[in-house]
């Protein structure tokens, strides 16, 4: 029996939900029967099925709460009815038409609710566009009602809905005023509004009795939501200053209930009037941010320390009141403001670092984190078109950063340039400047700047060089120092070539120089031209020189190669290594030099990993927390030099220098294993990761045996890269599909799209959807219905 009762109850609840949530469908013949006297109804007249039905259906529940019914009218082939001649939504009170809405005005649930309530509450919510209109409303409300002034960026956005819902509840208590004019907000709040989506200002006009007195204004600093508006209005109606007697720890107020601190002004009997005046002054300054109460020492003496005059009570339980001795009332205000700002910053940091739904761009996150850092901009002065030309023509070496002040990568690179200018100011001997392409667009176009940020190096008599390296201070400084050399260097004698291979030749460029390449030729051949072209393209990155002479064969024999050949030398270990250049092109030589610059068994860092990595070969990495001079490191180095590992890309990571490696190991193992550890990463369909731990002894034999076991399928991977979805942290919106959903074939089949990473480029003219702008999309009026009290300004 109980089961039957439960089943009947469940069916009843489901039927109620379906009855409430379903969108009523009518025809052009019977829709009039739903228009009852005094009842509000929103009807959508249409001849076809569109995606607007989903938004309309979602609004049924929201408008039902305000006694407004929603229905769809299927017109079919009906053309005689006026409402069926076009796709429109109409708002009726009984059979009287209040307003027609074009469908692009009602673009989502928020827009539907906001626009409908905006029509119904035209007396409670006045729309204004000028300061004079606002001043007139303030004057008329003095001694009658307080005024709630609201700015929103556009009609129909979520903030507009929130304030309309508040006006529906509180419209009889306050006079609500709405505007979308940023200039009006700036006149009233005396601040910039470029990035303010919405703002609420409470004007205390009811208590003003004299026409000459101004209404006090209090501004809300919270996002404009229904809950925050209700909370703020509740604070505005709380007593300005409360009076407390007895134990202050047991006292509570609306501020404590809403999570705000409470300030106690300790009053003496002899100075009560002055203390009360101080409390009122502080209360006005902290209105909406903290509560203020007077605490009489006569009635609460046993609970108050002797030498104090202020107490602060917070919302945290079991935290005693903090008593202080302050000299000025401004100190109280500063104390509350600083505490509030600190909490806001902590909340913002937590929001950014802990919630990837809010900030998924790591560069933008870093810029935000460093937003308060004072930068030495004077070290890299901003240039105009005139000062730019003067610098690049009068200075032998100059570097100009082209950037955009609104773009996060540009700001990050600017910080690196400033760090470089400060760190190497005594060594660079290069004039520095910056051009903000957001302000100097013509100059950037003149210099063929198509990507930002970009650093361009200008040298007298030579074409400008583009810096394409890492955006860090040390790498940029190294490039500037090495770019002063006219590469490739021509070495006339055998002695010059031998000096070039030693550290003596490069002592002026140390520590910027660590690797050099020397081409050796007995005569001028095609390989000389190829190396010349390659050397020019490597200017600033790697020193390249050419020795062409009769004694070239004798020099090359020392290192086991025959001309045409190229010798590589590393200044840190004085190793010299030779490779033949026979029949290599300039592009192949550039690739060879870059590859050899990393070394035989290179240390992998964040900076050189892009040059090191290639998906064509498996990655064999040794993770260590020290130098690789121990036995395990020497074993793999011996295999590399013996060319046993030619089919792998080999290197090692010093976790002390590159701590990001700890995160990589933790991802692979779930913990940090005993070091050193050898890891093999294969790049195939499964992308498995294998590991050889140090307790298995990393000898040459064990390493080769382990690699053969992996090839034979006898080793099990410890991790697969496919376990992690390599996609953007946030969902992307397919705006073209949305447009096609509204108007079939509107976008996708007319606009060729090229996708690359997260950037979308379109060919042809820019296409703007029907609801690209929320401004100027107010509801249209019927031509013959000029009802008084409506909103003609929309």
């Amino acid at each position: 029996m109980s089961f039957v009762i439960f089943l009947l109850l469940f069916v009843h609840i489901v039927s109620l939900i379906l009855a409430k949530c379903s969108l009523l469908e009518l025809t052009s013949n019977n829709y009039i029967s739903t228009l009852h006297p005094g009842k509000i109804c929103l009807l959508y007249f249409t001849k076809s099925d569109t995606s607007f039905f989903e938004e309309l259906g979602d609004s049924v529940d929201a408008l039902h709460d305000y006694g407004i019914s929603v229905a769809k009218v299927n017109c079919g082939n009906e053309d005689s009815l006026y409402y069926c001649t076009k796709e429109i939504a109409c708002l009726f009170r009984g059979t009287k038409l209040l307003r027609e809405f074009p469908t692009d005005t009602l673009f989502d649930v928020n827009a539907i609710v906001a626009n409908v309530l905006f029509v119904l509450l035209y007396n409670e919510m006045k729309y204004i566009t000028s300061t004079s209109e606002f001043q007139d409303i303030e004057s008329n409300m003095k001694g009658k009602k307080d005024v709630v002034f609201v700015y929103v960026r556009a009609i129909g956005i979520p903030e507009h809905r929130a304030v309309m819902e508040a006006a529906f509840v509180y419209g009889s208590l306050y006079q609500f005023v709405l505007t979308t004019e940023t200039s009006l907000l700036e006149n009233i709040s005396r601040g910039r509004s470029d990035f303010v989506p919405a703002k609420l200002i409470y004007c205390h006009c009811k208590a003003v009795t004299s026409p000459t007195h101004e209404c006090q204004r209090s501004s809300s600093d919270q996002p404009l939501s229904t809950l925050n508006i209700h909370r703020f209005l509740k604070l505005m109606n709380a007593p300005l200053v409360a009076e407390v007697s007895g134990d202050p720890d047991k006292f509570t107020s609306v501020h404590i209930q809403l999570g705000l601190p409470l300030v106690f002004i300790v009053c003496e009997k002899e100075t009560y009037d002055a203390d009360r005046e101080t409390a009122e002054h502080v209360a006005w300054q902290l209105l909406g941010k903290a509560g203020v109460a007077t605490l009489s020492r006569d009635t609460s003496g046993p609970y108050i320390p002797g030498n104090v005059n202020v107490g602060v009570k917070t919302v945290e339980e079991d935290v005693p009141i903090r008593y202080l001795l302050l000299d000025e009332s401004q100190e109280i205000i500063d104390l509350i403001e600083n505490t509030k700002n600190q909490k806001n910053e902590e909340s913002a940091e937590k929001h950014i670092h802990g919630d990837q739904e809010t900030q998924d761009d790591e560069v933008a996150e870093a810029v935000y984190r460093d937003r308060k850092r004072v930068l030495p901009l004077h070290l890299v002065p901003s240039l105009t078109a005139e000062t730019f030309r003067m610098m690049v023509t009068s200075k032998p070496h100059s570097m100009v950063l082209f950037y955009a002040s609104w773009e996060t990568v540009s700001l990050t690179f600017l910080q690196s340039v400033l760090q470089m200018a400060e760190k190497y100011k005594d060594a660079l001997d290069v004039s520095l400047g910056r051009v903000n392409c957001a302000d100097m667009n013509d100059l950037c176009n003149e210099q063929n700047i198509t990507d930002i940020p970009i650093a361009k190096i200008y040298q007298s008599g030579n074409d400008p060089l583009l810096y394409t390296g890492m955006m860090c201070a040390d790498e940029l400084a190294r490039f500037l120092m090495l770019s002063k050399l006219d590469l490739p260097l021509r070495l006339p004698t055998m002695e010059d070539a031998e000096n070039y291979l030693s550290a003596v030749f490069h002592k002026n460029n140390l520590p910027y120089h660590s690797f050099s390449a020397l081409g050796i030729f007995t005569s001028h051949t095609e390989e000389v031209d190829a190396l010349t072209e390659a050397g020019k393209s490597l200017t600033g990155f790697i020193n390249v020189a050419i020795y062409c002479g009769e004694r070239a064969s004798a020099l090359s024999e020392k290192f086991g190669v025959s001309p045409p050949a190229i010798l590589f030398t590393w200044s840190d270990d004085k190793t010299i290594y030779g490779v033949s250049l026979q029949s290599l092109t300039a592009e192949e030589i550039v690739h060879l030099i870059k590859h050899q610059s990393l070394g035989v068994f290179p240390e992998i860092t964040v900076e050189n990993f892009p040059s090191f990595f290639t998906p064509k070969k498996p990655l064999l990495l040794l993770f260590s927390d020290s130098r690789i001079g121990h036995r395990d490191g020497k074993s793999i180095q011996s295999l590399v030099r013996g060319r046993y590992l030619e089919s792998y890309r080999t290197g090692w990571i010093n976790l002390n220098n590159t701590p990001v490696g700890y995160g990589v190991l933790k991802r692979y193992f779930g913990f940090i294993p005993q070091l050193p550890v050898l890891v093999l990463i294969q790049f195939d369909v499964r992308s498995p990761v294998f590991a050889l731990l140090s307790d298995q002894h990393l000898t040459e034999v064990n390493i080769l045996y382990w690699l053969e076991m992996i090839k034979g399928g006898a080793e099990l991977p410890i991790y697969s890269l496919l376990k992690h979805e390599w996609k953007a942290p946030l969902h992307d919106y397919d705006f073209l599909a949305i447009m096609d959903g509204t108007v079939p074939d509107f976008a996708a089949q007319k606009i060729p799209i090229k996708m690359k990473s997260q950037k979308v480029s379109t060919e042809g003219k820019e296409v703007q959807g029907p609801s690209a702008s929320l401004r100027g999309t107010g509801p249209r009026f019927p031509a013959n219905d000029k009802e008084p009290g409506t909103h003609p300004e929309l």
Side-chain angles (χ1 to χ4, degrees):
M1 183 67 181
S2 60
F3 174 76
V4 174
I5 295 175
F6 172 79
L7 181 61
L8 290 174
L9 181 61
F10 175 77
V11 172
H12 175 68
I13 292 173
V14 171
S15 64
L16 288 177
I17 293 174
L18 293 175
K20 183 179 178 182
C21 296
S22 60
L23 176 64
L24 183 64
E25 296 198 21
L26 308 171
T27 67
S28 57
N29 296 324
N30 66 1
Y31 83 92
I32 198 72
S33 62
T34 63
L35 304 179
H36 303 295
K39 297 294 183 180
I40 307 297
C41 187
L42 179 67
L43 300 181
Y44 176 58
F45 295 85
T46 181
K47 291 184 178 182
S48 61
D49 291 334
T50 68
S51 61
F52 178 65
F53 295 152
E54 182 179 351
E55 304 294 347
L56 195 67
D58 292 341
S59 68
V60 172
D61 285 352
L63 291 177
H64 182 272
D65 294 337
Y66 301 102
I68 303 168
S69 58
V70 183
K72 165 192 167 186
V73 179
N74 294 311
C75 291
N77 296 322
E78 178 65 56
D79 290 326
S80 59
L81 185 65
Y82 164 76
Y83 303 118
C84 288
T85 59
K86 50 187 175 179
E87 298 271 337
I88 56 171
C90 299
L91 187 67
F92 293 89
R93 176 182 281 118
T95 57
K96 182 180 181 181
L97 176 65
L98 298 180
R99 193 68 53 85
E100 289 182 11
F101 299 98
T103 54
D104 62 346
T105 304
L106 310 180
F107 44 85
D108 63 10
V109 177
N110 293 318
I112 294 173
V113 175
N115 276 286
V116 169
L117 293 181
F118 200 18
V119 173
L120 300 178
L121 301 175
Y122 54 80
N123 284 326
E124 292 82 358
M125 177 68 75
K126 299 293 185 183
Y127 183 88
I128 62 174
T129 58
S130 65
T131 305
S132 60
E133 290 179 277
F134 177 70
Q135 291 171 345
D136 290 342
I137 293 175
E138 266 194 325
S139 298
N140 293 334
M141 289 297 110
K142 288 179 181 178
K144 301 175 185 177
K145 287 182 179 181
D146 290 334
V147 177
V148 179
F149 170 83
V150 179
Y151 160 83
V152 294
R153 274 193 175 274
I155 300 298
I157 62 177
E159 291 83 0
H160 182 210
R161 173 183 175 178
V163 73
M164 292 311 307
E165 290 178 328
F168 186 90
V169 177
Y170 299 105
S172 60
L173 300 177
Y174 312 105
Q175 178 59 63
F176 284 82
V177 178
L178 182 74
T179 189
T180 56
E181 301 296 327
T182 56
S183 57
L184 177 55
L185 173 63
E186 290 170 1
N187 290 337
I188 293 175
S189 63
R190 303 183 186 279
R192 295 288 297 171
S193 60
D194 297 347
F195 304 103
V196 180
K199 189 73 174 177
L200 186 148
I201 299 175
Y202 190 94
C203 308
H204 305 265
C205 297
K206 187 176 181 179
V208 178
T209 56
S210 173
T212 59
H213 291 172
E214 297 292 330
C215 300
Q216 292 259 27
R217 296 173 185 172
S218 302
S219 178
S220 171
D221 56 0
Q222 295 296 313
L224 218 58
S225 65
T226 303
L227 182 61
N228 285 340
I229 294 173
H230 167 76
R231 182 177 180 272
F232 187 71
L233 294 179
K234 191 171 183 180
L235 290 172
M236 294 300 102
N237 282 276
L240 183 63
V241 177
E243 293 190 359
V244 181
S245 60
D247 187 356
D249 281 307
K250 296 180 179 179
F251 177 79
T252 187
S253 69
V254 65
H255 301 85
I256 294 294
Q257 296 168 5
L258 294 177
L260 297 178
L262 181 63
V263 177
F264 294 105
I265 306 296
V266 180
C267 298
E268 303 287 350
K269 185 176 181 179
E270 297 78 8
T271 59
Y272 177 80
D273 291 338
D275 294 336
R276 175 76 187 190
E277 184 178 344
T278 299
E280 290 179 355
H281 169 72
V282 172
W284 277 115
Q285 300 299 313
L286 297 178
L287 196 59
K289 304 171 184 176
V292 177
T294 57
L295 183 61
S296 175
R297 193 177 288 277
D298 293 337
T299 57
S300 305
Y303 306 101
I304 309 173
N307 192 27
V308 299
N309 55 8
V310 174
V312 179
K313 182 178 182 180
T314 60
V315 296
E316 287 82 4
E317 295 183 5
D318 302 325
V319 176
I321 296 175
R322 180 186 176 190
Y323 287 100
L324 305 162
L325 178 63
L326 302 178
D327 297 327
E328 301 289 339
S329 60
Q330 185 61 42
E331 294 182 58
I332 305 173
I333 299 166
D334 293 341
L335 176 66
I336 298 298
E337 292 281 0
N338 293 337
T339 303
K340 178 176 176 293
N341 291 337
Q342 183 179 358
K343 288 184 176 180
N344 287 342
E345 289 183 8
E346 290 173 355
S347 176
E349 291 293 330
K350 181 180 178 181
H351 197 46
I352 288 176
H353 295 292
D355 187 1
Q356 286 295 324
E357 288 297 315
T358 300
Q359 181 58 273
D360 68 321
D361 189 315
E362 294 180 357
V363 177
E365 176 187 338
V367 171
Y368 178 83
R369 249 195 340 261
D370 294 340
R371 67 194 183 280
K372 293 186 177 180
R373 181 187 298 178
V374 178
L375 300 176
L377 294 174
H378 64 280
L379 296 177
V380 184
S382 179
L383 302 177
T384 64
E386 183 180 351
T387 56
F388 167 81
R389 294 185 182 91
M390 186 181 302
M391 185 179 78
V392 299
T393 55
S394 62
K395 303 293 183 180
H397 301 284
S398 57
M399 189 214 77
V400 179
L401 172 66
F402 295 90
Y403 72 107
S405 56
W406 51 265
E407 201 257 336
T408 53
V409 178
S410 290
L411 296 178
T412 304
F413 195 17
L414 175 60
Q415 288 188 18
S416 297
V417 173
L418 294 171
Q419 291 170 7
M420 177 202 69
E422 193 168 30
K423 182 176 180 181
Y424 297 97
K425 58 185 177 181
D426 297 327
L428 280 180
D429 192 25
V430 176
S431 300
L432 303 176
R434 55 189 167 93
V435 173
N436 184 359
C437 292
D439 299 328
M440 305 293 295
N441 190 43
D442 291 341
L443 178 58
C444 292
N445 288 335
E446 177 186 308
Q447 295 299 310
N448 296 320
I449 303 301
T450 56
D451 295 300
I452 53 170
I454 192 74
K456 229 175 180 183
I457 292 82
Y458 297 86
Q459 303 180 72
S460 300
N462 294 321
D463 293 333
L465 294 175
L466 290 180
Y467 176 69
T468 57
M470 292 288 293
M471 294 184 186
C472 60
D474 294 333
E475 288 293 315
L476 181 57
R478 178 177 178 274
F479 181 87
L480 291 177
M481 294 300 295
L482 297 181
S483 65
K484 295 178 182 179
L485 299 175
D486 187 13
L487 299 183
L489 298 172
R490 300 286 179 167
L491 305 179
T493 66
M494 177 79 161
E495 290 73 20
D496 291 333
E498 290 176 336
N499 288 335
Y500 180 85
L501 293 174
S502 67
V504 177
F505 184 89
H506 306 285
K507 62 181 180 180
N508 293 329
N509 286 328
L510 293 174
Y512 314 105
H513 167 272
S514 60
F515 171 79
S516 299
L518 173 63
I520 302 175
F521 307 93
T522 54
S523 61
H524 192 97
T525 62
E526 292 181 355
E527 287 82 4
V528 175
D529 296 332
L531 183 58
T532 301
E533 183 181 343
K536 289 185 179 297
S537 67
L538 292 171
T539 298
F541 293 104
I542 297 171
N543 278 353
V544 179
I546 294 176
Y547 170 61
C548 184
E550 296 178 356
R551 300 179 63 186
S553 298
L555 180 62
S556 61
E557 285 178 4
K558 292 183 179 180
F559 307 105
V561 291
S562 300
I566 187 168
L567 301 178
F568 303 107
T569 175
W570 292 264
S571 59
D572 51 355
D573 61 3
K574 297 180 175 57
T575 302
I576 299 177
Y577 176 71
V579 176
S580 174
L581 283 181
Q582 189 72 43
S583 302
L584 291 184
T585 64
E587 185 177 351
E588 291 171 333
I589 293 174
V590 169
H591 177 75
L592 173 65
I593 294 175
K594 285 184 176 181
H595 175 75
Q596 293 295 331
S597 68
L598 295 173
V600 178
F601 187 63
E603 178 184 348
I604 307 305
T605 64
V606 174
E607 289 78 13
N608 68 15
F609 183 77
S611 301
F612 168 82
F613 173 71
T614 172
K616 296 179 180 179
K617 288 185 177 182
L619 202 57
L620 187 62
L621 295 178
L622 178 69
F623 289 81
S624 177
D625 57 356
S626 62
R627 301 298 301 176
I628 56 172
H630 50 73
R631 185 188 64 184
D632 296 326
K634 288 182 177 180
S635 297
I636 190 170
Q637 279 185 302
S638 175
L639 291 174
V640 171
R641 289 194 174 96
R643 301 194 176 184
Y644 292 99
L645 303 176
E646 288 285 292
S647 58
Y648 303 95
R649 199 76 172 94
T650 57
W652 73 287
I653 296 178
N654 187 341
L655 298 178
N656 292 329
N657 299 334
T658 311
V660 70
Y662 285 110
V664 174
L665 290 177
K666 193 168 184 181
R667 168 74 71 176
Y668 292 165
F669 291 89
F671 58 92
I672 304 300
Q674 182 180 350
L675 299 175
V677 59
L678 189 62
V679 171
L680 176 68
I681 307 165
Q682 293 182 341
F683 301 101
D684 53 23
V685 177
R686 291 170 50 248
S687 296
V689 178
F690 301 90
L692 181 63
L693 299 177
S694 57
D695 58 4
Q696 297 175 264
H697 303 295
L698 303 183
T699 63
E700 290 95 328
V701 174
N702 283 348
I703 292 173
L704 292 176
Y705 177 74
W706 172 66
L707 293 174
E708 289 299 323
M709 292 288 285
I710 294 174
K711 289 180 180 179
E715 283 284 325
L716 294 177
I718 60 168
Y719 186 75
S720 173
L721 297 182
L722 295 183
K723 287 184 179 180
H724 182 75
E725 291 188 88
W726 301 95
K727 62 181 183 180
L730 299 181
H731 295 293
D732 291 329
Y733 288 99
D734 189 350
F735 291 105
L736 298 180
I738 296 172
M739 293 161 67
D740 276 342
T742 305
V743 183
D745 301 334
F746 179 76
Q749 298 178 20
K750 294 183 180 181
I751 307 174
I753 298 298
K754 295 180 180 179
M755 298 295 293
K756 183 178 179 182
S757 298
Q758 296 179 353
K759 297 181 180 179
V760 181
S761 62
T762 61
E763 297 177 1
K765 294 183 179 179
E766 181 180 350
V767 178
Q768 183 171 338
S771 59
S773 175
L774 304 182
R775 298 292 297 272
T777 58
R780 299 192 184 102
F781 290 84
N784 58 352
D785 185 8
K786 296 184 179 179
E787 183 174 312
T790 53
H791 297 285
E793 60 280 340
L794 290 183

